[in-house]
Each structure stands twice: as structure tokens, then as C-alpha cells.
Amino acid sequence: MKKIILAFMLMFMSISTLSANSGYAFRHANPLPNLMRVAMGNADLLDLNKEQRKSLMAYAKSNRPKARALVKKILEQEKALMQEALTTDKGVDTMADKMLESRKNLIEMKSACRTFLKSVLTEKQYKQVISIYKSTK
């Protein structure tokens, strides 16, 4: 029984660490707010109708994997850039340009997401999303 509890606790701690690191990775790779998460997590408070919920879910389902892949790419590019700077130091400028381009792409995705939210939510709901986000920071 103790082994089962210990195994469960280790598994839970591993999952918790992955989730925490994932959140850090998103914040590190991109300073823009994740307003979609706020909107979806507060759907009841925002009084989203069925169509709004459906639209947000579809957008998130389509774009979340792309954003996560881009964050992963940025982190890998940063790691490679650091390694190169500490070893041969050749091509650092080119590597940095590629990493910055990836960051720019992520910022563009986040900006498109804000535009999408503004098109789906009412002005009042969008202001509430901003208010909720600010209250958590």
C-alpha cells in the first residue's frame, strides 16, 4: 500500500512540475497576456452564450498546439544559442535572428488571438477579461 501511495505521489509531483514549467515557458517565451485562458476559464462569470463558447473552444483547439510548438521551438533555439555562445561562438548572430523571428511569430499569434476575442466577445465581456487578467497579476 505504501508503494502505491509513494508511486502516486511521485507521479503527481512530476505532472505538477511539468504544468508549472509549461506555464513558465509560455511566460518566458512571450510577454503578452494569455487572454484566451482567462476568457475560457471564466466563461460563467462572463456569461458567455453557447455560440461564444463554441467559437472560443474551436479557436483554442486550432491554435493552442501551434503556440505550444512555437514556445518549444523558442526554448530549443535559446538553448542552442547559449551552447553555441559557450563553445565555438560561430553563427550566434544568425541563430539569434532565427530565435527572435520565432518570438515575433508567437507575438503575432497572441495579437491575432486578442483580435479574435474582441470579435467574439461583447465590449463589456472583453473589458471584464482584461480586468480579471489584471487582478491576477
Side-chain angles (χ1 to χ4, degrees):
M1 183 67 169
K2 288 181 183 180
K3 289 181 182 180
I4 294 173
I5 292 172
L6 180 61
F8 178 75
M9 288 181 64
L10 288 172
M11 183 179 73
F12 177 75
M13 289 170 43
S14 297
I15 292 170
S16 297
T17 302
L18 288 174
S19 297
N21 288 340
S22 175
Y24 169 76
F26 264 88
R27 286 188 308 276
H28 171 78
N30 175 20
L32 298 182
N34 189 346
L35 299 180
M36 180 64 78
R37 176 178 283 171
V38 173
M40 292 176 68
N42 293 281
D44 291 336
L45 181 64
L46 296 169
D47 196 28
L48 299 182
N49 64 40
K50 204 177 216 179
E51 195 58 39
Q52 287 174 314
R53 289 174 194 249
K54 187 177 175 182
S55 293
L56 294 183
M57 290 294 287
Y59 188 90
K61 184 177 181 180
S62 171
N63 289 284
R64 185 180 296 137
K66 296 173 194 172
R68 285 187 176 167
L70 203 45
V71 167
K72 183 178 178 185
K73 180 179 179 181
I74 290 167
L75 295 176
E76 289 170 355
Q77 288 172 321
E78 286 179 344
K79 186 177 179 180
L81 182 61
M82 174 70 83
Q83 185 62 35
E84 188 65 28
L86 295 173
T87 56
T88 65
D89 205 24
K90 294 180 183 173
V92 172
D93 292 341
T94 303
M95 292 174 78
D97 288 342
K98 289 178 182 177
M99 185 263 306
L100 291 172
E101 185 64 30
S102 296
R103 282 182 181 268
K104 181 179 178 230
N105 292 340
L106 186 58
I107 288 170
E108 289 170 351
M109 284 184 71
K110 297 293 274 191
S111 293
C113 182
R114 283 194 318 280
T115 300
F116 174 77
L117 280 172
K118 288 177 183 179
S119 74
V120 171
L121 303 178
T122 66
E123 187 176 337
K124 180 181 175 186
Q125 288 170 323
Y126 186 76
K127 285 181 181 179
Q128 282 180 290
V129 168
I130 299 298
S131 178
I132 293 167
Y133 177 81
K134 286 180 178 180
S135 73
T136 63
K137 297 298 162 204

